[in-house]
Amino acid sequence: MPITIAKFRKKYYDVYIVKKVFIAGGTGFLGRAAMEKFIRCGVIVAAASRTGGRVGNTDVAALDFFAESGETLREYFAKESFDVFVYALGPDDRVMPPAPAYGYFREKLVDRCYDILSAAVAAGAKRIVLLGSYFAHFDKIYKGALSANHPYIRARREQEDAALSLNAEVVVLELPYIFGVPENGKPLWRESFLAHYDAYPAVFMTGGGTAATDVNGVADAVFAAAHCGRGCIPVGGANVSYIELLKKMLLYAKDGRKVYKIPAFIGALGAKKILKEYRKAGREPGLNPVKLMTQIQSREFYLDPEETERALNYGEFGFTAVRDIDEQLQKSMRACYPERFGEEK
């Protein structure tokens, strides 16, 4: 039965009654999950992505958002006539652009994002839901120390500021690690993370930890944010140490290697070699690997799921932010290493 929030209007003054939602990036990993959620709950959905396609019985138009002018986008959005715009576009921290990385992330995450959101508002969108990063949340806690060293985090902070300056109700969902399997591809965990350990007989990691959720948890957050909430909202789910996370990854990937804890400065020494290799290739990561060890992976970037639930009125939708990520983590590792599972079901 579709969820309706009309009856909550009197109780929550800031609840917005959604008539139609537009999802930019509807065939992507997160956009697709959000789109499926809205459809199941009886909300009218329009969507577009660079490749286009279908989600269930709903067509997703082919539109390269980053290539189109603001005027073209305004005209396109005006024809769709929606009241909520969900922005599920842009690179994450695993992208390795040519140096300097900040210029790339600034263009994709800030400049083009602002142009696209501005076009949506000009076309009538009253509410914006932007999928952001929990690194921005922790950068605020550490008073800008992260954005000073990591171009991706700097761009994410600037993206939030740009979005919040719009003349609309804006919710930025600050998302942590997300597990799940994309519809038409495989998770990036193998090539962007686990591959760094391929040449070693054991796996070494610093002693910090991270918040995490799964793709269904993100879909719930997007649905709730389309109806209520304001400003920047960290999305909690589960908190796990990096040591425990790696142990689970290896277990679910049928990898029998042991995981050992190392001091952050040892990890930073190894990261210096990696950084030199990147520079030789003329590339720069969004997260400086040396500072990653000392500023991020040695700290506990944990989030309280109850705060997410309160900020987005989860109780009224029957949602919970608390997640058991093991099922999606297992699926993710299976998709990363299909050759290890053969024809197993």
Side-chain angles (χ1 to χ4, degrees), residues 12 14-15 224 227-229 308-319:
Y12 294 105
D14 62 344
V15 166
H227 295 88
C228 54
T308 303
E309 293 174 352
R310 287 192 293 270
L312 292 171
N313 292 330
Y314 268 26
E316 303 301 336
F317 299 105
F319 296 165

Side-chain angles (χ1 to χ4, degrees), residues 3-332:
I3 295 172
T4 176
I5 53 84
K7 63 182 178 180
F8 306 130
R9 182 82 177 191
K10 294 181 180 178
K11 185 175 180 181
Y12 294 105
Y13 67 90
D14 62 344
V15 166
Y16 187 84
I17 299 178
V18 176
K19 298 174 183 176
K20 182 179 179 181
V21 62
F22 186 98
I23 300 180
T27 57
F29 178 42
L30 302 181
R32 175 182 289 270
M35 190 169 174
E36 290 171 344
K37 182 74 176 183
F38 282 108
I39 293 171
R40 286 196 303 271
C41 293
V43 176
I44 299 173
V45 182
S49 67
R50 185 176 59 83
T51 59
R54 287 180 69 82
V55 175
N57 295 320
T58 303
D59 289 324
V60 177
L63 179 66
D64 188 344
F65 288 92
F66 292 156
E68 298 293 344
S69 68
E71 181 179 355
T72 299
L73 290 173
R74 283 193 297 274
E75 293 175 355
Y76 179 83
F77 292 153
K79 292 177 183 178
E80 293 293 341
S81 186
F82 49 84
D83 51 333
V84 176
F85 186 82
V86 176
Y87 188 91
L89 299 171
D92 66 16
D93 59 273
R94 293 169 292 189
V95 174
M96 183 77 66
Y102 171 70
Y104 170 86
F105 287 112
R106 168 79 198 190
E107 178 189 2
K108 300 293 185 182
L109 293 176
V110 186
D111 298 337
R112 290 304 295 148
C113 175
Y114 183 77
D115 291 343
I116 295 165
L117 295 182
S118 296
V121 173
K126 302 296 188 298
R127 192 168 184 84
I128 301 293
V129 179
L130 169 64
L131 304 193
S133 169
Y134 83 148
F135 287 130
H137 169 73
F138 287 102
D139 187 52
K140 285 172 266 188
I141 291 176
Y142 290 110
K143 302 185 185 304
L146 302 182
S147 58
N149 291 297
H150 305 279
Y152 173 77
I153 299 177
R154 178 183 173 188
R156 281 296 192 183
R157 281 294 306 275
E158 293 171 350
Q159 181 187 48
E160 289 190 348
D161 292 341
L164 293 171
S165 72
L166 293 165
N167 184 28
E169 296 180 355
V170 178
V171 181
V172 181
L173 297 176
E174 297 175 321
L175 303 175
Y177 282 21
I178 303 163
F179 293 101
V181 180
E183 181 74 14
N184 298 312
K186 64 181 182 180
L188 296 176
W189 292 105
R190 179 173 182 171
E191 61 188 69
S192 66
F193 182 54
L194 294 169
H196 293 303
Y197 301 104
D198 284 351
Y200 301 99
V203 176
F204 303 92
M205 177 52 67
T206 50
T210 182
T213 188
D214 61 24
V215 65
N216 299 315
V218 174
D220 286 351
V222 172
F223 182 88
H227 295 88
C228 54
R230 296 281 183 91
C232 300
I233 300 176
V235 177
N239 294 317
V240 59
S241 72
Y242 288 115
I243 296 291
E244 186 62 26
L245 181 59
L246 270 169
K247 286 180 178 179
K248 288 184 176 184
M249 283 182 164
L250 296 183
L251 173 65
Y252 295 145
K254 291 190 173 183
D255 187 326
R257 288 179 294 172
K258 300 291 186 181
V259 179
Y260 297 100
K261 182 179 177 179
I262 59 172
F265 79 90
I266 296 294
L269 290 176
K272 285 183 179 179
K273 181 180 178 181
I274 295 174
L275 187 58
K276 286 181 180 179
E277 293 174 354
Y278 291 156
R279 287 172 175 169
K280 278 185 179 180
R283 297 193 170 270
E284 182 184 9
L287 301 178
N288 180 301
V290 177
K291 295 294 184 180
L292 178 67
M293 293 293 148
T294 58
Q295 287 190 320
I296 296 174
Q297 291 189 344
S298 60
R299 294 172 173 171
E300 294 180 341
F301 278 23
Y302 292 160
L303 298 172
D304 183 354
E306 292 185 0
E307 292 185 5
T308 303
E309 293 174 352
R310 287 192 293 270
L312 292 171
N313 292 330
Y314 268 26
E316 303 301 336
F317 299 105
F319 296 165
T320 176
V322 178
R323 316 304 293 185
D324 180 354
I325 63 170
D326 279 36
E327 180 181 355
Q328 291 297 334
L329 179 56
Q330 188 169 4
K331 289 180 179 179
S332 297

